[in-house]
Amino acid sequence: MLRTALRNVLAHKARLIMTALAVLLGVAFVSGTLVFADTTANAFRNASARSLQGVAVSVRADQASTAPDSAGGVAGKTTGALDTALVRKISRLPGVDAVRPTVHGQATLAGRDGRPVNADATGQNLATNYLPGKDGKDSHFPMKEGRGPASEDELALDSKTAAKAGYRIGDTVRLATDGPTLSKKLVGIVALDDPWGAAGGTLVLFDTRTAQKLFHHPGQFDEITVAARTGTDESSLTAQVQALLPKEGARATSGAELAAEQSAQIAESTGYLTKTLLVFAGIALFVGVFLIANTFTMLIAQRSREIALLRAIGASRRQVIRSVLIEAALLGLVASAGGFALGLGIATAMRPLLNTTGAELPEGPLVITPSAPLASLAVGVAITVLAAWLPSRKAAKIAPVAALTSVDLAPPARALRVRNVLGTLLAGAGVLVMLHVSTLKGTKESNLLAAMLGGVLTLGGVIVLAPLLSRPLITLAGKVTTRFFGVSGKLAKENALRNPRRTAATASALMIGLALITGLTVGAHSAQHAVAKEATAGLTADYKVNYSSARGLDADSVDKVARVPGVAAAAPITMAQLNTRGRSAVITGTDPKAFGKVARLDFRAGSLHDIGPGRIAVSDEFARRAGLQIGATLDAELGGGMAGSKAAKRKLTVVGIYAKAPTVDQALGTRADVLPYSVTKQFDNLLIKADRGRTGGVERAIRASLDDSPLLQVRSQEQLVKDNNEKVNTVLSMTYGLLGMAVVIAVLGVVNTLAMSVFDRTREIGMLRAIGLDRSGIRQMVRLESVVIALFGAVLGIGTGIFLAWAAGGLTRTSMREYETVLPWDRLGTFLVLALMTGVLAAIWPARRAARLNMLRSIQPS
């Protein structure tokens, strides 16, 4: 039987090539992910090891307290436990070779073109101190050009930041930390080989005094690293350093512990990416199961005479099953080996590909651990054998005599009845679970698990019911093909209906990919629609102005902007905590007159003009929760509940009730009533209305009036929506790329099914040619059959995806109040057209093969 299995693999190379390709692609995805994960983790560990080289002890501040400025506000500077005195004490300990005190902060640059660099992610714009040694150089930051900063008006940049911003040595660099715009001279560019921060960020280097002045106070640091002399015990030195520290505010960590912490963080961050990629690899392999099972089912049908002869000469059913499974294992082994080799290429290409999206993954050699090839081969062989198991059982049931006179029997009706009942139960259970999910709110773990269970049951039910669903849908499509393409169209319909299970298995592979893509697309489009609605609902302002950092806008910023030519109105927005009648809310402070020009509120009672000193309006939702009515007098507490704000009791009167709106919070008052109790004692943002016809040129003037800080954001309504949707679009694009592998495998399934179907129908095609159907008619028949199958899979997939997206959409309503399912008809139409094109392209080779069959040879008895 082993020789038989080997002979069958070699005898059907052409028929198995698509199946092998599907296994190869799926395994390549798995092996590429595993090798990429090992390579990335190793590169991060190497980079981390370089940054910790020579570090015996690290002293870090646990927390830092904010120091208020003379006006009682927040200066943006912090004070901590690490100071110059502590540095001196540590340096005098026995065994200490060197001490490096560092300051960390954030600084956002303006490029040479005046535009902020990475302004949307200021947390990734890092700054620190350049600490030269006796030779005048800092070993942590090797100098590429120029020299290190030595005075308050100088700075250095890393090479990537300098290139991104367009700066060269000698240029004047504009930047901001959390205060006014600064200008400093670029004196050095360093080569950074350190896992400093997040993707796409920047690095600015100051001299130590300047860094302390910007981010702390003179003589204070964020971290102190200690290098030990040769032979010094690291644990003992760590204990000595810890003894010098205050009981609270700082802790000492040994270099080994620090390396272990960073290693754990690296494993966690890379593990999340690995798991995500493996999920999509699993989807691709699951789709491949349909192709493999379909192929072996058709091969067994074609070899029914051969199997019957084996049974007749004494082969047992177990031997037949074993022969088919050995054939599948050999196919899986060869394809998996090729898949692993392709996976190495994928792993190599993945780092530069992800870096184009700003991932900034470190470089490193390709790492191949024994687990990667073993797991790849095991997965490929296991999936192939598992998919071939049911066809092998079918082969073992072939009766020796009956099979000699019958080539391709239709599946027994009872089998389809059992399948239909099972599919109905699965789909029904899935639909019920998803209907329950549609009533849930919030993305807590139990809700997500329920949604996953409902989605799996629904998809599984549709897959099992696909043969039953194929008849009405394909019959409907067949009416169209018959009407427009005549005999070829009718034959295509009949061929697709001839074996419902084969057609369903072929279409199901495409259906799974399209269901997932459609579900994600509908969910993402609905989320984008909700974000756009929340960002602009009730907002008539042309621009929103704010700082990208925690810094607020000064009180005089309103007057500065109002004087800009082309500005019709500027309404300041500030917020504070409001507590009354046992309920908490956020109150928005503004200038009611100006606010009426930049926003639109739907008042249920009272009006915007009624708001004044001591008089507020509340949302209908808060009024209902707190039992408030027009004229109610509140003993309210303003401020408190948030660090930096002082609570004070005030008498407030409710003079208006408005419909809940995303533009304002639960209450609305004057800026004079709210500003003293806000966290920063500054405005959070300005809403600006431009004169009619002046919206295009006023943005630059607004920036100039506010010192044109790199931290300043002046965004139109379109930019607000675009910024909010940018992450969703990025995730959606990556998901399309990852699910594309599953769709490619589904296309291979259509090609393989059609090619083997042509072989099945050789005599039939010969007879059609003999009675007058020409070559173009044969090609058209095969193409239309492919299109009908692809259309069937597309309709099932798109319909299922829409249902799943609708049912699971309710989980986001707690975070997106305006969420509702909105169908992206243009994208759904695109998916349908692409499915039809897939059908046409998949049929090119099988149609050509069918048309080139020799008529006389085809009709000869075998």
Side-chain angles (χ1 to χ4, degrees):
M1 298 307 290
L2 177 61
R3 286 198 300 270
T4 302
L6 287 169
R7 184 184 61 79
N8 284 331
V9 170
L10 296 174
H12 302 102
K13 293 188 295 290
R15 302 181 209 174
L16 291 173
I17 189 169
M18 294 297 177
T19 304
L21 195 54
V23 178
L24 184 146
L25 290 175
V27 171
F29 209 155
V30 173
S31 63
T33 298
L34 294 175
V35 173
F36 169 73
D38 291 335
T39 300
T40 303
N42 183 70
F44 270 115
R45 281 193 295 269
N46 290 341
S48 177
R50 287 193 295 270
S51 68
L52 294 176
Q53 189 172 6
V55 176
V57 184
S58 171
V59 182
R60 294 180 177 178
D62 284 338
Q63 56 186 3
S65 59
T66 304
D69 62 15
S70 58
V74 176
K77 299 178 182 179
T78 58
T79 180
L82 310 187
D83 54 22
T84 305
L86 180 61
V87 174
R88 292 197 189 101
K89 291 179 182 178
I90 294 174
S91 63
R92 289 196 290 266
L93 287 174
V96 172
D97 185 53
V99 177
R100 180 185 176 85
T102 55
V103 180
H104 302 317
Q106 295 174 357
T108 301
L109 305 175
R112 289 195 67 178
D113 58 1
R115 297 180 180 179
V117 178
N118 204 38
D120 296 331
T122 55
Q124 299 173 358
N125 297 335
L126 306 180
T128 189
N129 58 316
Y130 185 85
L131 196 64
K134 294 179 182 179
D135 59 354
K137 298 179 181 180
D138 188 338
S139 59
H140 278 66
F141 303 106
M143 193 59 63
K144 189 175 180 180
E145 296 180 54
R147 59 174 176 83
S151 63
E152 187 174 353
D153 60 347
E154 296 177 344
L155 58 74
L157 302 174
D158 73 281
S159 55
K160 289 184 179 180
T161 299
K164 186 186 299 184
Y167 286 121
R168 297 180 180 177
I169 297 294
D171 288 344
T172 299
V173 179
R174 292 177 59 251
L175 73 151
T177 56
D178 199 25
T181 304
L182 307 172
S183 294
K184 297 182 184 295
K185 184 179 179 181
L186 178 62
V187 296
I189 295 177
V190 301
L192 187 61
D193 185 19
D194 196 311
W196 253 93
T202 60
L203 178 65
V204 183
L205 300 172
F206 304 103
D207 69 281
T208 300
R209 282 191 177 184
T210 303
Q212 290 173 332
K213 181 179 178 182
L214 290 173
F215 306 118
H216 295 299
H217 290 279
Q220 294 187 337
F221 304 96
D222 290 289
E223 183 180 10
I224 302 172
T225 56
V226 182
R229 295 194 184 103
T230 305
T232 303
D233 182 69
E234 193 174 280
S235 300
S236 175
L237 183 59
T238 303
Q240 293 179 57
V241 172
Q242 183 66 52
L244 297 176
L245 304 180
K247 292 183 179 180
E248 296 181 354
R251 67 185 180 95
T253 306
S254 69
E257 291 175 335
L258 197 62
E261 288 177 7
Q262 292 198 5
S263 180
Q265 291 174 357
I266 290 168
E268 183 178 355
S269 59
T270 56
Y272 176 77
L273 177 61
T274 303
K275 290 176 183 177
T276 302
L277 293 173
L278 284 176
V279 166
F280 287 98
I283 292 170
L285 285 169
F286 181 66
V287 171
V289 166
F290 291 91
L291 193 161
I292 298 165
N294 228 13
T295 301
F296 276 93
T297 299
M298 297 174 75
L299 281 174
I300 286 163
Q302 293 169 8
R303 286 163 27 201
S304 57
R305 291 176 180 268
E306 174 189 323
I307 294 170
L309 286 171
L310 287 174
R311 295 279 285 116
I313 62 176
S316 66
R317 289 189 174 187
R318 183 174 297 178
Q319 286 178 310
V320 172
I321 292 175
R322 192 181 305 155
S323 173
V324 175
L325 294 183
I326 290 173
E327 184 179 346
L330 292 171
L331 174 68
L333 187 63
V334 173
S336 298
F340 178 75
L342 179 61
L344 296 181
I346 292 175
T348 304
M350 203 172 287
R351 186 190 65 81
L353 182 64
L354 289 176
N355 280 349
T356 60
T357 66
E360 294 294 327
L361 299 175
E363 294 184 9
L366 205 63
V367 177
I368 305 173
T369 61
S371 60
L374 291 176
S376 302
L377 293 174
V379 167
V381 173
I383 288 293
T384 310
V385 171
L386 181 65
W389 181 67
L390 284 177
S392 72
R393 287 176 58 85
K394 181 180 178 182
K397 292 178 181 179
I398 295 176
V401 177
L404 292 175
T405 58
S406 178
V407 176
D408 190 12
L409 292 174
R414 184 172 178 273
L416 285 178
R417 282 200 297 270
V418 171
R419 177 170 180 156
N420 293 340
V421 171
L422 178 61
T424 302
L425 292 175
L426 281 174
V431 169
L432 289 175
V433 172
M434 293 308 297
L435 290 176
H436 169 67
V437 168
S438 68
T439 65
L440 302 177
K441 293 182 179 179
T443 54
K444 59 183 182 180
E445 187 176 353
S446 59
N447 293 349
L448 293 175
L449 289 174
M452 290 175 63
L453 175 63
V456 170
L457 288 174
T458 304
L459 273 174
V462 173
I463 290 169
V464 177
L465 281 175
L468 177 66
L469 298 173
S470 66
R471 184 162 293 279
L473 291 176
I474 290 178
T475 299
L476 182 63
K479 291 182 178 180
V480 177
T481 59
T482 302
R483 179 177 179 83
F484 289 98
F485 301 99
V487 173
S488 295
K490 186 174 183 179
L491 288 171
K493 180 197 74 171
E494 295 299 330
N495 288 332
L497 290 174
R498 177 179 300 180
N499 192 328
R501 290 191 295 185
R502 180 191 299 172
T503 298
T506 306
S508 292
L510 187 61
M511 183 271 288
I512 295 168
L514 280 177
L516 294 174
I517 289 175
T518 299
L520 289 168
T521 301
V522 172
H525 182 73
S526 301
Q528 290 172 336
H529 187 268
V531 167
K533 198 172 180 180
E534 288 183 6
T536 60
L539 191 67
T540 59
D542 295 305
Y543 295 101
K544 180 179 181 180
V545 179
N546 64 284
Y547 280 101
S548 57
S549 67
R551 177 190 176 193
L553 293 155
D554 297 331
D556 61 351
S557 60
V558 184
D559 296 329
K560 289 180 180 178
V561 172
R563 290 195 293 268
V564 171
V567 172
I573 301 294
T574 187
M575 288 173 282
Q577 187 81 7
L578 169 67
N579 298 309
T580 185
R581 298 189 179 184
R583 303 287 180 178
S584 295
V586 176
I587 183 169
T588 299
T590 187
D591 179 353
K593 184 178 180 181
F595 188 77
K597 298 178 181 179
V598 298
R600 182 174 56 252
L601 289 179
D602 180 14
F603 274 84
R604 306 292 195 222
S607 70
L608 193 63
H609 302 293
D610 295 327
I611 299 174
R615 304 190 302 275
I616 66 170
V618 296
S619 70
D620 51 2
E621 181 188 65
F622 183 64
R624 186 167 54 253
R625 285 195 293 117
L628 303 177
Q629 296 179 344
I630 293 292
T633 300
L634 308 178
D635 291 320
E637 189 178 75
L638 289 175
M642 290 183 283
S645 62
K646 297 178 180 179
K649 292 186 177 180
R650 292 286 309 274
K651 289 279 188 182
L652 299 174
T653 303
V654 177
V655 296
I657 297 176
Y658 55 86
K660 178 182 174 182
T663 316
V664 294
D665 295 290
Q666 296 97 325
L668 182 64
T670 63
R671 64 176 176 176
D673 281 341
V674 179
L675 186 61
Y677 310 104
S678 67
V679 176
T680 62
K681 309 298 184 292
Q682 294 176 311
F683 297 124
D684 295 288
N685 58 74
L686 296 178
L687 298 178
I688 298 172
K689 183 70 175 177
D691 288 330
R692 188 181 297 274
R694 294 291 300 272
T695 56
V698 76
E699 177 184 352
R700 190 66 202 169
I702 293 172
R703 294 191 64 90
S705 71
L706 296 177
D707 196 26
D708 198 13
S709 169
L711 295 172
L712 191 68
Q713 293 182 321
V714 182
R715 294 174 293 175
S716 64
Q717 288 196 22
E718 293 78 11
Q719 289 170 323
L720 285 171
V721 173
K722 182 181 177 181
D723 290 348
N724 289 332
N725 286 334
E726 189 170 357
K727 289 184 179 179
V728 177
N729 287 331
T730 301
V731 172
L732 193 60
S733 298
M734 290 183 66
T735 304
Y736 281 164
L738 294 170
L739 284 175
M741 185 71 76
V743 176
V744 168
I745 293 175
V747 173
L748 293 177
V750 177
V751 175
N752 209 27
T753 300
L754 288 173
M756 298 185 75
S757 179
V758 167
F759 182 85
D760 275 350
R761 304 201 304 264
T762 298
R763 295 188 67 189
E764 175 189 320
I765 292 170
M767 290 298 296
L768 290 172
R769 290 291 315 282
I771 62 175
L773 191 62
D774 58 11
R775 292 180 185 271
S776 63
I778 295 293
R779 283 195 296 267
Q780 191 175 72
M781 177 188 71
V782 176
R783 280 197 299 265
L784 289 174
E785 181 182 352
S786 177
V787 168
V788 166
I789 292 173
L791 183 62
F792 171 52
V795 170
L796 273 188
I798 293 173
T800 305
I802 290 173
F803 170 72
L804 294 177
W806 168 80
L811 300 179
T812 64
R813 288 195 181 97
T814 53
S815 56
M816 295 183 184
R817 294 177 297 182
E818 300 295 329
Y819 185 91
E820 59 180 354
T821 302
V822 180
L823 299 182
W825 293 108
D826 54 340
R827 294 189 187 181
L828 297 181
T830 301
F831 295 160
L832 193 61
V833 171
L834 289 175
L836 295 176
M837 291 176 60
T838 296
V840 173
L841 294 174
I844 291 175
W845 178 58
R848 185 181 178 189
R849 186 170 181 269
R852 296 177 66 181
L853 287 176
N854 185 289
M855 186 193 313
L856 295 178
R857 290 180 182 175
S858 299
I859 61 177
Q860 286 178 353
S862 56

